[in-house]
Amino acid sequence: MHLNQREEQINQYLQKNAQVLCLDLLPDGTVSAANAFAEQFVGRPLVGVHFREFVIDFKKIINPFELAKNPQGIHLVNVTTYTGLPQTLRCMFSPTKEGVLVLGGVDVAEQEALRKQIVGLNQQLGNLTRDLQKGNAELLRLNDLKNQFLGMATHDLRQPVGLIMTYSEFLNDEASNSLDEEQRGFLQQVFEASVFMRRLIDDFLDVAVIESGHFELRRTLHTLPALIERISALAQIQARKKKVELRIAQARDLPPLHIDEQKMGQVLANLLANAIEYSSEGGTVHVLTRDEGDRVEIVVRDAGVGMSEEELKRLFTPYLKARRKKTGGEKSTGLGLVIARKITEAHGGKILVESTPGKGSVFRVLLPKGNPEKTKK
Amino acid sequence: MDTGITETLYADYLAALIRGDRLVCADIVKRLLDDGLDVGVLYAQLFQRSMYEVGEKWESGEIAIATEHLATSVTESLMPLVYPLVFSREHLPHTAVVSCVSDEYHQMGGRMVADIFEMNRWNGYFLGANTALPELQTLVDEKSPDVVALSVSIYSNLPNLEKAITGVREVRPTIPILIGGQAFLWGGRDIPSRHEGIQLLTSLSELQRWTREFVSET
């Protein structure tokens, strides 16, 4: 093969395949000639286009004619490519009769390093996803085990605690004459502690059942006002002890709802107990019911200690007790509101809370009208 | 055996994989899983088969390396679709630590092996690509596994496999070690004869069999 033929072949190959951008610039910076790769790389025809239209040079400091004074120098130039993303080229600027010749190529080593990084990061992401899903499955298994244990332990504890509660109450009522004041005090403490333990056990059992997914509602048609009256009457005892006034204002003609009466009673009892416990002596707790179109709303409002943003976030998390103190130093399991929310959600409703520290809290229970189980089918 | 992976479905999957069309591939995998396809079959007859074919296409110059990398990324991103099925099962009291040797950047085979252990209700821990020997030794020491599995894809990494075998044995002198990977297509089949308690497995189904036999013998 002749030397000229060889050079011609190399040139032909380079013209067609070399990933080198080749531009001729006129003195005003307009492109007078561009190779196929340059137009493919930028993604548009370039002849007649000013170089600043595709070269990224916000500070307007690139002057091809100045750079061409040092034709051996390599300069990094950022170009907007056909993908819309910028790419850095290693460019050489050489003077020509008509202007400047620009030759630019991609830094292959940099590209390879980036590719390796991307592949590695992708693999890491995959492995982290795997670890995360494996960890999640393990946590779910542990949570199930915890619930099983809680269920068994509390079930076995419930009966003996019930006996302590019943007999200490009985002794207090029946044998108080034969006991001195200190002994009666001890007995009262035993009774109160057993009542608290029983509540704790019941709450643990409720949470265990809810979290195990075996929570079932026994829905029947019920009128809400009657339920609220009944639960409020029970809460009155607690309210009177704390000298808190309980005010009830119910909407007329509320339709009967498909609810589990016992469970919704538990929701109301928990919300009322909570409102009374955080109210100060002489305070008022309001209970309202409203017809809200396709839903019925129950509002429990207190003017008690209120909650901060942080406390609101933790409010419905099991086993995370609120930091705020109850005004009468009452003991609680911290599970009442968690249970209330789960029961309400199982009814297709929701509980919304607003609170201001020092001013009190408003709990709104929204329950759908109609039978959600029928709608599901 | 009718697995639901017909040749037409496989061809559609492979074409989508080479295009880098993750959504089409994910749709096919989800449909197969919804139809009750065994995850072991999915791994062997869809993921592994397609990636072997992609590798062959690359070796014969039909596709560029970027396409091969894209297909690998798509496949790795599909593997989590089976995790809810395999991780939530009740596990046996058996543990496997799976790793690629140092300088081995092809991790998919190793990850599949770790997942196969999970599918067989083992705890399969996976350390990933290019795992330094001390890191492997630490995990082996920490987890006290029943078995260690080492994956090598590139032939030139076989000396690192032997170093890894020696390193694992420093921590657990008698632990069974499984080895495997594409590197053994080109050599290294004599490695088990040079070390005690080493077994070369050449397919995912061999691994499935091995895990079952191990469980029945213990």
Side-chain angles (χ1 to χ4, degrees):
Chain A
M1 190 183 284
H2 291 296
L3 193 63
N4 283 350
Q5 233 180 327
R6 184 177 173 275
E7 277 180 3
E8 201 177 310
Q9 283 228 315
I10 293 172
N11 275 338
Q12 265 181 18
Y13 178 83
L14 291 178
Q15 279 283 340
K16 276 188 188 166
N17 300 302
Q19 303 216 332
V20 175
L21 172 136
C22 178
L23 298 173
D24 281 305
L25 297 183
L26 295 172
D28 66 351
T30 308
V31 177
S32 60
N35 70 343
F37 175 74
E39 295 195 328
Q40 198 186 341
F41 189 69
V42 177
R44 57 192 270 202
L46 293 176
V47 176
V49 173
H50 194 275
F51 81 91
R52 284 199 204 282
E53 285 187 36
F54 54 91
V55 168
I56 302 166
D57 182 25
F58 299 121
K59 292 183 180 170
K60 297 196 179 351
I61 49 173
I62 295 175
N63 182 342
F65 300 92
E66 277 300 312
L67 297 174
K69 286 177 185 168
N70 174 18
Q72 299 307 314
I74 295 289
H75 306 275
L76 298 182
V77 174
N78 293 306
V79 173
T80 304
T81 71
Y82 70 101
T83 62
L85 295 172
Q87 174 72 267
T88 304
L89 297 178
R90 294 165 64 81
C91 291
M92 229 168 86
F93 295 81
S94 322
T96 60
K97 272 184 199 166
E98 294 81 19
V100 169
L101 169 68
V102 186
L103 296 169
V106 174
D107 186 337
V108 176
E110 186 190 69
Q111 294 290 305
E112 274 306 287
L114 280 174
R115 196 158 66 101
K116 193 173 171 184
Q117 284 273 0
I118 290 168
V119 169
L121 287 172
N122 222 355
Q123 287 180 334
Q124 275 182 35
L125 185 68
N127 296 342
L128 285 173
T129 309
R130 187 181 190 278
D131 290 349
L132 198 66
Q133 294 214 22
K134 190 167 159 55
N136 270 348
E138 190 55 33
L139 285 176
L140 283 173
R141 248 198 310 272
L142 288 173
N143 198 39
D144 280 352
L145 274 177
K146 179 210 74 185
N147 284 333
Q148 275 176 28
F149 169 76
L150 259 183
M152 280 190 298
T154 47
H155 186 266
D156 289 349
L157 280 172
R158 203 171 186 277
Q159 200 195 1
V161 169
L163 282 175
I164 297 169
M165 199 172 84
T166 311
Y167 286 130
S168 58
E169 191 178 24
F170 172 77
L171 280 174
N172 230 346
D173 290 346
E174 301 295 320
S176 58
N177 292 340
S178 55
L179 299 173
D180 64 27
E181 198 173 324
E182 192 183 24
Q183 287 167 328
R184 279 200 300 275
F186 289 155
L187 210 50
Q188 183 61 25
Q189 279 186 31
V190 170
F191 174 68
E192 282 173 11
S194 61
V195 169
F196 174 69
M197 277 176 75
R198 179 69 174 260
R199 220 167 74 207
L200 193 68
I201 289 166
D202 287 344
D203 282 356
F204 278 162
L205 274 171
D206 281 340
V207 171
V209 170
I210 288 167
E211 290 200 349
S212 70
H214 299 306
F215 180 67
E216 277 178 17
L217 294 178
R218 288 188 193 136
R219 289 174 192 261
T220 45
L221 264 182
H222 276 281
T223 51
L224 204 54
L227 180 66
I228 289 175
E229 287 294 337
R230 189 165 59 77
I231 300 298
S232 303
L234 291 170
Q236 280 290 5
I237 302 163
Q238 186 194 358
R240 270 191 216 113
K241 269 191 195 166
K242 277 198 76 173
K243 295 185 178 138
V244 170
E245 191 187 348
L246 203 57
R247 283 193 196 164
I248 300 161
Q250 304 227 49
R252 285 180 191 171
D253 304 327
L254 282 179
L257 299 177
H258 286 89
I259 52 172
D260 183 319
E261 190 202 16
Q262 197 235 326
K263 295 270 191 311
M264 271 320 293
Q266 199 178 346
V267 172
L268 291 168
N270 285 351
L271 292 179
L272 280 173
N274 188 67
I276 295 165
E277 282 165 3
Y278 288 105
S279 290
S280 309
E281 199 177 302
T284 308
V285 170
H286 293 269
V287 182
L288 319 165
T289 50
R290 286 197 281 243
D291 193 324
E292 291 285 324
D294 57 349
R295 293 181 299 191
V296 170
E297 187 178 22
I298 309 162
V299 181
V300 178
R301 193 172 69 224
D302 68 65
V305 294
M307 285 173 277
S308 65
E309 287 275 320
E310 198 195 330
E311 281 175 315
L312 273 173
K313 279 183 201 158
R314 298 152 51 98
L315 194 61
F316 293 110
T317 311
Y319 310 113
L320 280 182
K321 276 200 185 183
R323 286 188 197 137
R324 63 202 170 123
K325 290 244 167 78
K326 294 183 179 177
T327 50
E330 296 97 329
K331 282 183 178 177
S332 83
T333 63
L335 293 171
L337 292 177
V338 178
I339 295 164
R341 180 154 92 163
K342 294 280 184 189
I343 294 173
T344 307
E345 285 174 354
H347 278 87
K350 57 184 171 184
I351 298 186
L352 305 174
V353 194
E354 290 161 31
S355 192
T356 312
K359 292 195 171 171
S361 306
V362 183
F363 286 78
R364 294 164 59 211
V365 180
L366 296 159
L367 290 172
K369 290 179 184 170
N371 188 348
E373 272 164 19
K374 259 190 187 168
T375 325
K376 255 189 251 172
K377 283 167 194 171
Chain B
M1 187 177 65
D2 178 25
T3 61
I5 306 175
T6 61
E7 283 306 304
T8 316
L9 186 82
Y10 174 76
D12 289 348
Y13 176 85
L14 183 67
L17 189 65
I18 289 170
R19 284 198 310 273
D21 194 336
R22 188 188 174 278
L23 291 179
V24 169
C25 292
D27 190 47
I28 291 172
V29 171
K30 280 181 201 160
R31 257 190 293 148
L32 288 167
L33 289 172
D34 286 347
D35 291 344
L37 178 70
D38 178 81
V39 280
V41 175
L42 178 82
Y43 266 47
Q45 294 186 25
L46 196 70
F47 291 166
Q48 194 184 42
R49 181 183 168 193
S50 59
M51 282 312 298
Y52 278 170
E53 198 164 337
V54 166
E56 280 163 20
K57 282 182 186 293
W58 169 64
E59 282 171 15
S60 60
E62 281 181 60
I63 58 169
I65 190 64
T67 307
E68 195 256 8
H69 282 163
L70 188 61
T72 307
S73 291
V74 169
T75 309
E76 287 212 53
S77 76
L78 298 175
M79 288 157 81
L81 293 175
V82 308
Y83 290 161
L85 297 173
V86 294
F87 288 148
S88 58
R89 289 177 189 167
E90 190 68 35
H91 275 52
L92 298 166
H94 296 302
T95 300
V97 165
V98 184
S99 180
C100 299
V101 298
S102 59
D103 295 332
E104 178 57 70
Y105 289 93
H106 296 78
Q107 70 158 23
M108 188 187 290
R111 194 168 150 194
M112 281 187 176
V113 166
D115 291 351
I116 292 286
F117 276 111
E118 289 285 341
M119 286 168 206
N120 287 278
R121 296 165 53 210
W122 285 52
N123 272 304
Y125 291 97
F126 180 53
L127 272 120
N130 183 28
T131 302
L133 185 54
E135 206 183 321
L136 173 61
Q137 287 173 313
T138 304
L139 196 78
V140 170
D141 195 33
E142 191 184 298
K143 298 289 176 196
S144 289
D146 298 280
V147 66
V148 171
L150 299 169
S151 168
V152 200
S153 293
I154 302 294
Y155 176 72
S156 58
N157 287 329
L158 285 174
N160 288 347
L161 171 69
E162 298 217 50
K163 283 182 200 158
I165 291 170
T166 312
V168 168
R169 283 285 154 75
E170 284 169 15
V171 186
R172 291 276 184 276
T174 57
I175 193 166
I177 298 176
L178 303 177
I179 56 174
Q182 290 291 84
F184 293 96
L185 291 177
W186 311 104
R189 288 175 170 265
D190 57 333
I191 291 176
S193 64
R194 293 204 292 274
H195 305 266
E196 279 286 311
I198 304 289
Q199 199 171 336
L200 170 65
L201 298 180
T202 55
S203 69
L204 293 180
S205 51
E206 270 186 40
L207 176 65
Q208 298 249 42
R209 264 198 304 280
W210 185 92
T211 55
R212 282 170 201 153
E213 279 166 17
F214 184 94
V215 173
S216 65
E217 284 165 14
T218 51

